Amino acid sequence: MDQKESVRDITPWDGTLSSSDFFSAACAFSEKWKRFNASVPPWLWVPSRKHHLLSSHKEEGYLSLEGMCLIKSSEEQESCRSQTWKEESSISQEEEAVENATLVQSSCDEVNHYDFHIVYSPSYRVPVLYFRSYHSDGQPLPFGEIEKDLPDHSAKIRSESKWTFITQEEHPYLNRPWYKLHPCGTSEWMKLLFLGDTALNKNGFVIEHYLVSWFSVIGQVVGLKIPLGMLETVSC
Amino acid sequence: MSRKEGALLQFAPMQSSVDEGFWHRFSSLKLNKLGIDDSPLPIIGFYAPCSHSQVSNHLTLLAESLPSESSDSSLVPEPSSGNRNKCSVPGILYNTNTVEGFHALDKMKLLKEEAAKIWNDIVTGKAVEDCSMLSRFLLISFADLKKWSFHYWFAFPALMLDPPAALVNLRPASQWLSAAEAESLSTACNEWRNSKSTADVPFFLVTIDPQSRATVRLLKDWDACQSDAHKILFGFYDPCHLPNNPGWPLRNFLALISAKWNLKSVQFLCYRENRGFADMGLSLVGEALITVSEGWKNTMPNAVGWELNKGRKVPRCISLAQSMDPTRLAVSAADLNLKLMRWRALPSLNLSALSSVKCLLLGAGTLGCQVARMLMAWGVRKITLVDNGKVAMSNPLRQSLYTLDDCLNGGSFKATAAVESLKRIFPAVEAEGVVMAIPMPGHPVNSQEQESVLDDCRRLSDLIDAHDSVFLLTDTRESRWLPTLLCANTNKITITAALGFDSFLVMRHGAGPFSHAHGFNAETAISSSADVHKIKDAKGKHRLGCYFCNDVVAPTDSTSNRTLDQQCTVTRPGLAPIASALAVELLVSILHHPEGIFAEGDISNNVIGTSEQPLGILPHQIRGSLAQFSQMTLVGYSSPSCTACCDTVLSEYRNKGMEFILQAINHPTYLEDLTGLTELMKSASAFSLDWDKDDDGGGGGDEDCVEI
């Protein structure tokens, strides 16, 4: 069979994928990630059901990568974080036993923790990257702070491409505001990615590779690198 | 790296981390279940061995640390088990209902109580059975659910050895163990960590036999470890990453070891990982010397453990208003909506102009309600509604801000009810209601009412001054006269919407004749060409007309002597939403036009001429007919004899102020005389022509609606 013909037979792909395809793609993605990217935390599938009344046979959930740490040097710390507390709630010296066995550290590096979730959007039919950041004590970071952590080329990508921008919306499963990369342009550039990649074209599009390709673009905006080994689309 | 013998063993304090989700669930629990009940609440904390060479792990509280809301009976959280990244430890939460209560809590007493529980578990042997009891913790808090801020303070009770333990040496495990031992121990630990039954057991025993084989066991197997000539290590999950200090859990572990097994010299293993696997380079092995007296274990030891906040013994505070306050969430959702419009369709959208424009709506009826809603949809936040009426029973059907409740007990004032309704829709709106009647020509006032009418005039003038854009949405023609005059005098953006039975007019008034808002314009006084100034605006262009420019009679009383059905404005219901929407879109277009109020009037299908603005054309007038389902754009220029906006009238107003207004109100022919309309009419009737009987609008027939 002529390979070119088989590709032509396929109805032009619109860049989207179904919810069950997302699950297969997610499994493949996290598998590959573990293999090629062992030095960073793994992507874990978190099963979740949104509609408790509807019984769904298909696996519903999202991919989660939590606990990425970004260590900020002490010069970068915001002094506005310190609270001026009246002493009414402190403990006087006589009350608590005087003791020296507690190590007192003079200054600590501030650490920004990042959590990333890849969630399927049924209305756009594409994956969406959600993320949030917080200090070690749990205090969430405002977007202004997060922007400082993003790589330089991220701002460039976001200003140039009308498809890539960060918004704050309610996380579909956790019901709290998370930041996300808006999915309105995803199907468009996934389509372009597919058309432009002759390797993908030759074998017909294998849905398992969707997330790897998708992440190779999205990851850049938030500074998550994808190892080259993962991008090999030849059977593996 | 080893330490000198006898140096004080210093422990790195446990650090707390509270996930946002914990506060969300706690708020919900408090609001829905607990109410003002402030009895202590059992909670669960989670920690795991350090997994990063530069970042310590924390004792973490998550949403699941609290009991689930749905469980109707128990207020005890469900413990998770077998999760290697979440070793559960029991804790207790004291939440107060006031900030004073929070500060007044007896912290030393609470710490002592929790420490006593740990000591009791040690003495009775319960801690050996369930070792996570050794890391029991205490949390006090005050949740301010109005401001969405949470004051809190953790304590990690640690029983003090007296005298404190001394550190003999401390070094990486890979240096203390032989290569074979290290490998065996790594394997054993990894198995321990991968087995569901032991993954979350944070304290354990390690025995190493002479063949370098390491075994990891539960604490209760202590007796089994005694028999052989093995090396024994007391191991624990160490959340701390520091190379020279063990973590906090070791404190109570040593207390247990001394009290239960009477050891003086303890070899301990600070178990730490890297990327999920045992790491003998990060893990530490040390030797501690315990020199407590014989009777030490007979009495409850002292305890320390309140967490420091940046080195100070004060509580912490976290503000979650950004993610929890519903008003803020509504505001950011609305902003997002508009931003998306700008990003994807209209890059030149001026969101700050929309959010800062101050709009005055004269009339809070069918048109006023719709205009207000549309304005909010465009991101306009500052809206003032003026209306002296009350909500009547028939109103809620057509006036979209009112419901039946507003009609009861005689009816609320429309201006007030409208503002409340707007705030219910979007709490961040800055809306104000003014209950006031607009003085109208042709409705004469007697001397007693005079002062209050003048007050209303002044008040209206002040309102117009204080806003950027005025919508004329009343139900009579004459009520639009005074506002039109005042707006023309101050060059405010003025938009009129008027309804017929099945037709509508939406128009923007042209600029006024003067260049600055107040003060007599000397130029006009000494001008030679009176006509030029009557029709040109401050920029010298031919002014667009206002609502009255095409009238040949002054506005007069159109409401008396009408039958009942003529007195109520009866129009096809679809008209008001259409006209209101167009009125708001017209405003948005004006705000985006570089010339604003001075922009020329476009007509649709005009291929040549005015440049394309991103929002499209900016018409002067839009007239539509539902009978035809049609709409057309028109341009009309200002009339030099206009009773509301011509130079003569405005100069008179500037000269005589309220005197002039009063005259116009009491004597409508005054305006006609002043503007020369009287003369015009006389000369028109001087022609003797046979006019065909015409049915076109104007003064004939249906007076049941406002003449367009």
Side-chain angles (χ1 to χ4, degrees):
Chain A
M1 179 172 65
D2 184 24
Q3 290 231 332
K4 282 206 185 122
E5 262 178 7
S6 74
V7 172
R8 253 186 281 139
D9 285 347
I10 301 168
T11 46
W13 182 55
D14 64 355
T16 67
L17 80 174
S18 72
S19 160
S20 43
D21 283 343
F22 172 72
F23 176 63
S24 333
C27 294
F29 178 72
S30 81
E31 221 8 69
K32 270 194 158 175
W33 179 273
K34 238 185 278 189
R35 253 194 292 155
F36 288 93
N37 223 357
S39 57
V40 292
W43 286 95
L44 301 170
W45 179 261
V46 179
S48 304
R49 278 183 316 135
K50 251 199 278 191
H51 310 285
H52 300 281
L53 301 172
L54 306 171
S55 67
S56 63
H57 319 283
K58 27 186 190 147
E59 274 277 3
E60 206 187 309
Y62 56 92
L63 276 175
S64 159
L65 174 75
E66 295 186 353
M68 294 289 276
C69 296
L70 207 60
I71 302 169
K72 322 279 290 177
S73 64
S74 23
E75 304 103 56
E76 289 172 321
Q77 285 179 51
E78 296 287 315
S79 55
C80 58
R81 283 240 301 148
S82 58
Q83 285 257 4
T84 42
W85 271 96
K86 293 183 283 241
E87 294 298 312
E88 49 188 292
S89 206
S90 71
I91 297 171
S92 63
Q93 285 296 91
E94 313 92 64
E95 282 184 301
E96 195 173 49
V98 179
E99 69 118 33
N100 302 317
T102 307
L103 177 71
V104 179
Q105 290 187 282
S106 45
S107 77
C108 286
D109 284 335
E110 190 60 70
V111 182
N112 291 352
H113 298 256
Y114 278 85
D115 292 341
F116 297 94
H117 290 176
I118 302 179
V119 188
Y120 179 72
S121 161
S123 48
Y124 286 97
R125 290 173 50 88
V126 293
V128 185
L129 182 72
Y130 284 80
F131 62 97
R132 67 161 182 165
S133 181
Y134 47 95
H135 291 292
S136 299
D137 64 358
Q139 167 93 47
L141 259 71
F143 184 66
E145 289 300 309
I146 294 181
E147 265 213 292
K148 294 183 193 163
D149 288 341
L150 296 177
D152 297 327
H153 59 258
S154 168
K156 199 160 163 290
I157 297 174
R158 280 182 286 124
S159 59
E160 282 173 5
S161 157
K162 66 168 185 163
W163 289 325
T164 325
F165 47 91
I166 296 175
T167 71
Q168 188 182 41
E169 278 184 44
E170 186 143 301
H171 189 293
Y173 293 100
L174 299 179
N175 295 317
R176 281 195 287 290
W178 277 53
Y179 294 99
K180 76 179 205 192
L181 281 168
H182 204 276
C184 56
T186 300
S187 59
E188 282 300 308
W189 52 257
M190 278 304 290
K191 204 163 55 168
L192 289 177
L193 210 63
F194 168 56
L195 290 174
D197 191 330
T198 45
L200 285 172
N201 264 316
K202 246 193 285 178
N203 301 323
F205 188 72
V206 182
I207 206 68
E208 273 79 24
H209 298 137
Y210 189 101
L211 272 181
V212 179
S213 310
W214 173 85
F215 196 81
S216 66
V217 176
I218 286 288
Q220 289 181 59
V221 185
V222 292
L224 284 178
K225 294 198 188 64
I226 193 168
L228 284 174
M230 280 183 74
L231 294 171
E232 290 292 296
T233 53
V234 182
S235 58
C236 43
Chain B
M1 179 184 322
S2 36
R3 296 230 157 209
K4 293 200 291 280
E5 182 162 10
L8 182 63
L9 176 52
Q10 287 202 312
F11 306 87
M14 184 71 99
Q15 291 169 74
S16 67
S17 175
V18 185
D19 183 84
E20 233 189 298
F22 176 84
W23 297 119
H24 280 254
R25 185 176 293 194
F26 182 64
S27 303
S28 190
L29 210 55
K30 192 103 180 93
L31 289 170
N32 301 330
K33 238 179 154 178
L34 299 174
I36 55 166
D37 180 7
D38 60 0
S39 35
L41 194 64
I43 56 177
I44 299 180
F46 304 101
Y47 75 97
C50 168
S51 55
H52 194 298
S53 61
Q54 289 168 284
V55 182
S56 288
N57 246 333
H58 290 55
L59 187 293
T60 309
L61 295 187
L62 307 165
E64 64 211 76
S65 299
L66 287 160
S68 130
E69 251 191 284
S70 54
S71 64
D72 24 33
S73 49
S74 100
L75 269 180
V76 177
E78 305 240 337
S80 75
S81 64
N83 186 330
R84 53 174 292 148
N85 290 322
K86 290 191 197 160
C87 304
S88 310
V89 294
I92 197 154
L93 168 61
Y94 285 85
N95 184 69
T96 59
N97 289 323
T98 61
V99 69
E100 295 80 20
F102 177 71
H103 292 311
L105 285 172
D106 188 341
K107 292 162 202 63
M108 289 325 295
K109 174 164 161 281
L110 292 175
L111 178 70
K112 256 200 156 96
E113 278 171 12
E114 295 313 299
K117 290 182 191 168
I118 299 177
W119 181 245
N120 197 44
D121 289 340
I122 288 177
V123 164
T124 58
K126 201 159 160 253
V128 172
E129 283 300 317
D130 184 0
C131 57
S132 61
M133 300 284 138
L134 288 173
S135 294
R136 183 187 292 277
F137 66 96
L138 162 68
L139 174 63
I140 62 173
S141 73
F142 164 60
D144 185 342
L145 297 183
K146 289 200 179 70
K147 295 199 206 128
W148 307 103
S149 66
F150 304 87
H151 306 267
Y152 67 99
W153 205 345
F154 276 86
F156 303 106
L159 300 161
M160 290 168 68
L161 296 170
D162 181 22
L167 182 64
V168 177
N169 54 58
L170 182 72
R171 60 188 111 134
S174 49
Q175 289 178 21
W176 190 86
L177 301 160
S178 73
E181 288 169 337
E183 205 189 307
S184 176
L185 181 57
S186 289
T187 313
C189 286
N190 287 330
E191 273 172 29
W192 177 268
R193 291 282 286 152
N194 286 330
S195 155
K196 270 207 148 193
S197 56
T198 54
D200 58 353
V201 174
F203 296 90
F204 51 92
L205 300 168
V206 174
T207 55
I208 307 178
D209 69 11
Q211 285 80 40
S212 304
R213 277 190 308 251
T215 319
V216 180
R217 301 168 197 261
L218 296 165
L219 291 187
K220 61 185 181 189
D221 294 340
W222 170 247
D223 293 326
C225 302
Q226 298 309 297
S227 35
D228 312 298
H230 289 4
K231 290 193 217 174
I232 294 180
L233 287 174
F234 292 86
F236 70 100
Y237 292 172
D238 189 359
C240 173
H241 74 281
L242 296 172
N244 294 326
N245 298 87
W248 201 251
L250 181 58
R251 296 197 73 152
N252 289 337
F253 199 17
L254 288 179
L256 173 114
I257 293 167
S258 174
K260 226 49 194 119
W261 301 315
N262 259 312
L263 296 183
K264 300 277 184 266
S265 161
V266 176
Q267 303 269 25
F268 58 84
L269 166 69
C270 303
Y271 176 73
R272 299 156 178 194
E273 294 177 335
N274 192 15
R275 305 295 171 216
F277 292 103
D279 189 319
M280 293 302 142
L282 289 174
S283 301
L284 306 175
V285 170
E287 185 184 340
L289 225 52
I290 301 177
T291 53
V292 296
S293 63
E294 270 302 309
W296 172 80
K297 66 181 180 203
N298 295 331
T299 51
M300 151 97 187
N302 285 327
V304 290
W306 284 102
E307 187 178 21
L308 295 181
N309 182 5
K310 293 213 187 325
R312 296 172 62 220
K313 280 204 182 119
V314 288
R316 296 173 182 222
C317 183
I318 183 174
S319 166
L320 290 178
Q322 203 57 40
S323 65
M324 290 178 81
D325 183 359
T327 302
R328 286 208 201 194
L329 292 173
V331 169
S332 56
D335 283 345
L336 171 66
N337 213 305
L338 293 167
K339 278 182 194 153
L340 280 174
M341 206 189 319
R342 184 171 65 177
W343 278 322
R344 301 174 55 195
L346 197 63
S348 53
L349 187 58
N350 188 345
L351 293 176
S352 60
L354 289 167
S355 60
S356 58
V357 69
K358 302 190 229 47
C359 291
L360 178 66
L361 277 59
L362 302 177
T366 329
L367 291 166
C369 289
Q370 278 303 113
V371 167
R373 275 178 162 276
M374 289 291 112
L375 285 171
M376 287 210 303
W378 266 107
V380 174
R381 300 279 163 85
K382 300 173 203 277
I383 300 173
T384 307
L385 289 124
V386 175
D387 198 300
N388 72 327
K390 292 188 175 177
V391 186
M393 283 288 180
S394 62
N395 291 160
L397 284 166
R398 290 174 182 248
Q399 305 183 9
S400 58
L401 290 177
Y402 310 126
T403 61
L404 183 64
D405 284 346
D406 299 313
C407 308
L408 306 176
N409 300 320
S412 318
F413 279 113
K414 283 189 176 183
T416 324
V419 162
E420 277 162 22
S421 182
L422 289 176
K423 286 185 181 155
R424 271 196 301 273
I425 295 169
F426 188 68
V429 70
E430 295 160 51
E432 265 194 62
V434 180
V435 181
M436 189 184 90
I438 297 175
M440 302 184 273
H443 297 246
V445 294
N446 59 41
S447 50
Q448 289 158 308
E449 300 167 322
Q450 200 166 286
E451 202 44 52
S452 91
V453 166
L454 285 178
D455 267 346
D456 287 344
C457 291
R458 281 181 218 112
R459 210 166 154 204
L460 181 62
S461 175
D462 289 341
L463 278 170
I464 289 176
D465 278 345
H467 289 78
D468 307 308
S469 165
V470 182
F471 286 86
L472 307 186
L473 309 169
T474 52
D475 59 357
T476 60
R477 195 157 97 234
E478 58 267 32
S479 58
R480 299 165 193 260
W481 175 79
L482 181 56
T484 302
L485 184 151
L486 295 171
C487 288
N489 190 43
T490 51
N491 271 339
K492 297 286 177 174
I493 299 172
T494 316
I495 296 181
T496 289
L499 306 178
F501 166 65
D502 61 3
S503 57
F504 66 84
L505 163 69
V506 172
M507 65 179 290
R508 59 183 172 100
H509 294 190
F514 303 133
S515 57
H516 39 263
H518 292 290
F520 193 64
N521 188 337
E523 291 169 29
T524 48
I526 48 177
S527 132
S528 47
S529 173
D531 268 339
V532 169
H533 281 277
K534 279 177 191 166
I535 58 170
K536 290 227 192 289
D537 61 26
K539 298 209 172 171
K541 290 198 293 195
H542 198 164
R543 290 168 44 213
L544 292 173
C546 77
Y547 180 61
F548 293 93
C549 281
N550 295 324
D551 287 357
V552 288
V553 291
T556 180
D557 186 349
S558 67
T559 58
S560 323
N561 294 326
R562 292 197 303 193
T563 60
L564 184 63
D565 62 314
Q566 288 170 342
Q567 281 175 32
C568 311
T569 310
V570 177
T571 69
R572 285 177 70 162
L575 276 182
I578 296 173
S580 310
L582 287 172
V584 172
E585 296 293 328
L586 199 56
L587 172 69
V588 176
S589 292
I590 297 170
L591 291 176
H592 284 79
H593 197 285
E595 302 188 36
I597 196 179
F598 299 100
E600 287 174 12
D602 299 330
I603 39 182
S604 40
N605 306 319
N606 190 7
V607 182
I608 41 162
T610 48
S611 52
E612 279 300 326
Q613 297 293 323
L615 276 168
I617 63 168
L618 178 54
H620 173 231
Q621 301 176 29
I622 307 163
R623 289 176 185 260
S625 157
L626 265 183
Q628 306 291 327
F629 285 97
S630 70
Q631 183 174 298
M632 54 183 180
T633 53
L634 302 163
V635 178
Y637 291 99
S638 63
S639 158
S641 318
C642 177
T643 52
C645 76
C646 76
D647 171 69
T648 316
V649 166
L650 284 181
S651 303
E652 201 69 7
Y653 168 64
R654 286 188 169 199
N655 265 332
K656 300 202 193 140
M658 290 302 153
E659 271 301 310
F660 163 74
I661 303 286
L662 214 51
Q663 278 235 286
I665 287 174
N666 289 333
H667 311 283
T669 52
Y670 170 63
L671 285 172
E672 285 166 3
D673 294 340
L674 180 65
T675 56
L677 279 177
T678 320
E679 286 303 313
L680 199 64
M681 295 278 277
K682 279 193 197 150
S683 54
S685 55
F687 287 108
S688 49
L689 286 173
D690 231 317
W691 292 104
D692 280 340
K693 196 144 192 257
D694 237 36
D695 262 12
D696 61 327
D702 282 10
E703 279 284 11
D704 64 352
C705 47
V706 184
E707 291 179 21
I708 299 176

